[in-house]
């Protein structure tokens, strides 16, 4: 009898854990898929469909270390653009301007999730809440 | 006997195919055409006058004056852009780089990109842009001229005249235009579509072969 109860509980627990994970998974997939569309319409022309950028004009999005180091600033880059800044990306220096966008925090989160998990990057979900928190701290 | 006829038919067919292929190796001539009738020694002949690119005066990224004279006897590809354009220009530049890389060692072929924002795109700005793009030498010129003249010129290339919208951003076409040695328009390609640019690269070769015959 005791064993039966324990095993039922175990099964329930497993289902719970599984469905939670699944929900995260679904959120990630939703962010990633919408993010790829945002990327195509707002970023691809400059950064390329392969994220490789363009010569010394547009930086690549393949420098995982750069993205990780600037994790909390990425949302600010996209919302307010980059003007008169020199960035070292993939050991090369870039000083062109990136225009600001009028994307909503959720769209920024989606496109960042897409970028941070494409082109050889593998940095997981970036939520809308995280983006809003980062945007409040923009310099 | 039957075999012979069969073989002959096959041969005929094959040559017909080849003939068709040969026809495809000349490019069409675009633009307005005007018939001109000449009477020479009592004989009337009608010639077709094709639309050509008119003269222009500009300066390139090295500060050299460039007019139509500098393109005499050359095949060239033209487009219109500006260095700070956030929308289609980076894609056009990326695709034009493919054309550049295919013909940068070919003295018969040039690329010219007219800026439609001459106020911002000075010689220095154009030089810096070319450097960053990785363009050197005299195959690809970035040209600055008088705004009104460049806008008017764009119409001779059959390109929609650029407009300025509320944001002070320029709206313009992303076409690459292929010009032959007689300054006639021989092809227009959407510079934002890689497949069309691949066509352009092939068509330049065709055009080179055509003018080699004359």
């Amino acid at each position: 009898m005791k064993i039966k109860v324990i095993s039922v509980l175990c099964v329930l627990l497993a289902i719970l854990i599984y469905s939670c994970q699944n929900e995260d998974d679904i959120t990630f997939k939703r962010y990633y898929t919408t993010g790829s569309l945002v990327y195509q319409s707002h970023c691809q022309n400059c950064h390329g469909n392969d994220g490789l950028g363009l010569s010394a004009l547009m930086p690549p999005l393949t420098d995982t270390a750069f993205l990780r180091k600037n994790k909390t600033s990425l949302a600010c880059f996209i919302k307010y653009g980059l003007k008169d800044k020199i960035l070292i990306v993939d050991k090369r220096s870039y000083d062109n301007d990136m225009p600001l966008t009028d994307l909503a925090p959720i769209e920024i989160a989606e496109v960042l999730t897409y970028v941070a998990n494409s082109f050889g990057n593998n940095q997981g979900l970036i939520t809308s809440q995280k983006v809003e928190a980062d945007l409040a701290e923009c310099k | 006997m039957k075999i012979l006829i069969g073989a002959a038919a096959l041969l005929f067919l094959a040559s017909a195919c080849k003939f068709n292929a040969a026809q495809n190796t000349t490019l069409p001539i675009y633009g307005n055409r005007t018939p001109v009738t000449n009477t020479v020694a009592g004989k009337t002949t009608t010639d077709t006058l094709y639309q050509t690119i008119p003269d222009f005066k500009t300066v390139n990224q090295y500060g050299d004056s460039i007019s139509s004279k500098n393109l005499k006897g050359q095949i060239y590809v033209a487009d219109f852009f500006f260095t700070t354009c956030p929308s289609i220009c980076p894609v056009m530049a990326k695709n034009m780089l493919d054309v550049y890389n295919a013909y940068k060692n070919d003295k018969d072929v040039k690329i010219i990109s007219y800026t439609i924002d001459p106020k911002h795109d000075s010689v220095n700005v154009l030089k810096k842009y070319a450097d960053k793009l990785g363009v050197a030498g005299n195959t690809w010129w970035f040209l600055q001229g008088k705004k009104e003249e460049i806008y008017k010129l764009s119409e001779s290339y059959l390109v929609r005249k650029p407009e300025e919208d509320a944001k002070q951003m320029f709206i313009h076409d992303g076409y690459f235009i292929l010009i032959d040695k007689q300054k006639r328009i021989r092809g227009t390609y959407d510079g934002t579509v890689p497949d069309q640019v691949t066509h352009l690269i092939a068509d330049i070769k065709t055009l080179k072969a055509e003018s080699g015959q004359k």
Side-chain angles (χ1 to χ4, degrees):
Chain A
M1 184 62 200
K2 228 180 187 174
I3 291 176
K4 239 187 185 168
V5 171
I6 289 172
S7 57
V8 165
L9 278 178
C10 275
V11 168
L12 278 179
L13 202 74
I15 290 174
L16 205 75
I17 290 170
Y18 179 76
S19 64
C20 279
Q21 240 175 16
N22 230 12
E23 203 157 291
D24 269 359
D25 237 33
I26 289 167
T27 311
F28 175 82
K29 283 207 182 102
R30 209 182 57 219
Y31 268 61
Y32 185 89
T33 314
T34 323
S36 80
L37 298 177
V38 177
Y39 185 82
Q40 279 166 34
S41 56
H42 288 86
C43 325
Q44 183 164 304
N45 58 329
C46 289
H47 293 287
N49 59 347
D50 42 15
L52 291 180
L54 173 60
S55 307
L57 284 170
M58 312 292 174
L61 299 172
T62 50
D63 187 344
T64 275
F66 177 95
L67 294 178
R68 209 177 282 283
K69 208 172 116 206
N70 294 281
K71 203 165 183 166
T72 51
S73 317
L74 295 180
C76 304
F77 291 177
I78 290 165
K79 172 116 185 144
Y80 299 106
L82 288 159
K83 204 168 161 44
D84 304 325
K85 285 219 173 65
I86 295 175
L87 300 183
I88 310 290
V89 186
D90 200 18
K91 300 189 199 80
R92 288 173 78 171
S93 109
Y94 294 87
D95 66 353
N96 243 22
D97 293 345
M98 171 155 107
L100 53 81
T101 63
D102 50 7
L103 293 174
I106 175 74
E107 292 171 300
I108 295 178
E110 285 159 349
V111 76
L112 282 179
T113 298
Y114 175 73
V115 167
N117 296 281
S118 305
F119 320 129
N121 305 312
N122 186 8
Q123 305 184 5
L125 177 70
I126 295 166
T127 63
S128 168
Q129 288 87 331
K130 162 100 169 69
V131 164
E132 280 183 56
D134 288 347
L135 287 179
E137 304 282 313
C138 286
K139 280 173 221 123
Chain B
M1 186 60 203
K2 249 187 189 161
I3 293 173
L4 221 75
I5 293 173
L10 219 73
L11 212 74
F12 179 73
L13 222 72
S15 65
C17 284
K18 219 167 154 192
F19 179 69
N20 271 340
Q23 264 198 331
N24 278 339
T25 57
T26 54
L27 304 175
I29 300 170
Y30 292 94
N32 296 326
R33 41 192 75 186
T34 343
V36 269
T37 320
N38 281 323
T39 313
V40 182
K43 251 183 146 183
T44 312
T45 56
T46 307
D47 271 339
T48 310
L49 213 64
Y50 292 97
Q51 178 173 336
T52 56
I53 305 301
D55 274 342
F56 59 84
K57 282 201 191 76
T58 55
V59 185
N60 71 8
Q61 73 264 39
Y62 305 112
D64 304 328
S65 303
I66 302 296
S67 68
S68 329
K69 274 204 208 98
N70 302 79
L71 293 163
K72 209 172 166 193
Q74 295 214 289
I75 292 169
Y76 70 92
V77 182
D79 74 348
F80 294 82
F81 86 115
F82 60 109
T83 60
T84 52
C85 149
S87 52
I88 57 175
C89 307
V91 183
M92 292 164 65
K94 184 177 179 171
N95 292 331
M96 193 68 101
L97 265 181
D98 288 343
V99 182
Y100 172 74
N101 285 323
Y103 292 101
K104 66 180 167 193
N105 296 320
D106 188 330
K107 285 205 160 52
D108 289 339
V109 180
K110 275 208 190 311
I111 301 169
I112 61 176
S113 294
Y114 298 96
T115 175
I116 57 171
D117 184 12
K119 205 169 142 197
H120 177 271
D121 292 344
S122 61
V123 167
N124 279 338
V125 170
L126 293 175
K127 174 69 167 57
K128 232 176 127 189
Y129 181 82
D131 287 348
K132 282 188 191 163
L133 203 54
V135 171
N138 279 295
T139 299
W140 189 350
W141 284 334
F142 298 87
L143 302 180
Q144 183 212 35
K146 283 212 185 78
K147 187 167 165 180
E148 312 79 59
E149 282 175 26
I150 298 300
Y151 279 31
K152 197 153 183 309
L153 190 63
S154 72
E155 291 175 308
S156 330
Y157 283 103
L158 306 181
V159 173
R160 184 161 59 107
K161 210 170 164 178
E163 298 164 21
E164 289 173 45
D165 82 355
K167 272 188 193 160
Q168 286 299 309
M169 286 291 158
F170 296 90
I171 302 176
H172 63 107
D173 282 336
Y175 281 103
F176 293 172
I177 306 103
L178 178 59
I179 307 295
D180 70 10
K181 294 186 177 181
Q182 287 87 42
K183 297 187 202 163
R184 299 174 303 186
I185 301 170
R186 303 302 293 274
T188 62
Y189 312 81
D190 187 338
T192 62
V193 180
D195 277 357
Q196 296 219 5
V197 178
T198 309
H199 257 284
L200 164 61
I201 291 172
D203 284 355
I204 293 174
K205 211 169 150 194
T206 306
L207 193 56
K208 272 178 61 102
E210 172 193 305
S211 43
Q213 284 163 7
K214 279 178 201 154

